[in-house]
Amino acid sequence: MGLILASCVPHGRPARPPAVAHRPPTPRPVYDEAARRQCLSRLTADGARYSVLPDRVFGNGCSAIGTVQLSDIGMPVSNLGAMTCPLADAFTRWTRDATQKAAQAWLDSPVVKIESFGTYSCRPVNNQAGNRLSEHGLSNAVDISGFVLANGRRITVLNDWNGPDEYARNFLRAVHDAGCRRFSVVLGPDANALHRNHLHFDMGRGPYCK
């Protein structure tokens, strides 16, 4: 963020025209190639199938650098787009381990599908003008809205986080808390009203869990 520094003009000197302050562009993410290869190896070892996507830079500081497209992580996930490799790896492990363990503990039926609001979106934090760029604008975040069980039941963050079923509430809090151990930033309905219908996971500046 740029800061406008005001200085006093000594008496007797002509004042210079005020400088126009420009907000510096968001720096393009830089990924170490060796770290990228290590991440892809971990992703493969975790059992994920994926395609490596070409690096892309968009307007307003948004980009998709070092990203992959997940095609198989053991169950379908709707609306997944470009994800940075560290996000994809953390998401794969969260899906494979935490989600199924929580479903077994609280719901008596495995999860067969995860519903997402997507990954990449070029917008500021909380979609509020003037805020810094969201991690979604760097393909570094994913929003999870619901879960479909093998018995046909559908659990959603909007309806079940504070819903009447204690077991559904416990399941959602279990997957939320497991996310806090895997992602840098986790936001859910207790964070603010903007997250009343989804769990936000990102690999940005953290740790932060709410």
Side-chain angles (χ1 to χ4, degrees):
M1 296 183 295
L3 295 177
I4 303 175
L5 300 179
S7 58
C8 296
V9 178
H11 181 71
R13 293 186 184 180
R16 295 181 180 179
V20 178
H22 295 282
R23 184 174 181 174
T26 301
R28 172 176 173 167
V30 177
Y31 290 86
D32 178 81
E33 186 58 35
R36 188 193 305 218
R37 288 196 301 269
Q38 290 175 359
C39 181
L40 293 175
S41 295
R42 289 195 304 271
L43 195 56
T44 300
D46 284 337
R49 294 176 60 188
Y50 59 89
S51 300
V52 177
L53 300 178
D55 290 346
R56 292 168 293 173
V57 177
F58 308 102
N60 299 318
C62 296
S63 64
I65 306 295
T67 61
V68 300
Q69 175 79 54
L70 292 173
S71 56
D72 185 4
I73 54 174
M75 72 179 71
V77 182
S78 63
N79 301 318
L80 285 187
M83 305 172 78
T84 61
C85 184
L87 174 66
D89 187 42
F91 184 72
T92 297
R93 288 183 280 112
W94 174 82
T95 300
R96 181 194 63 194
D97 299 331
T99 301
Q100 296 297 16
K101 288 179 181 178
Q104 181 180 7
W106 295 108
L107 300 175
D108 247 358
S109 181
V111 174
V112 295
K113 181 181 179 181
I114 295 176
E115 297 174 343
S116 129
F117 285 156
T119 53
Y120 174 80
S121 177
C122 188
R123 58 179 173 78
V125 169
N126 292 332
N127 213 21
Q128 300 295 312
N131 284 353
R132 63 177 175 81
L133 183 66
S134 167
E135 292 297 319
H136 284 287
L138 301 175
S139 308
N140 203 31
V142 60
D143 291 338
I144 302 303
S145 59
F147 305 83
V148 178
L149 307 181
N151 63 11
R153 186 179 180 187
R154 182 167 172 261
I155 305 292
T156 68
V157 177
L158 178 62
N159 294 326
D160 295 299
W161 182 267
N162 290 315
D165 188 326
E166 177 185 1
Y167 294 104
R169 295 197 307 268
N170 288 341
F171 165 77
L172 289 173
R173 281 159 177 76
V175 295
H176 170 279
D177 294 348
C180 296
R181 297 189 292 271
R182 291 167 171 80
F183 302 94
S184 297
V185 175
V186 174
L187 300 171
D190 291 343
N192 54 52
L194 294 172
H195 293 86
R196 67 188 181 280
N197 62 352
H198 68 279
L199 304 178
H200 168 97
F201 300 142
D202 77 50
M203 299 301 287
R205 289 174 289 183
Y208 184 81
C209 174
K210 181 69 173 179

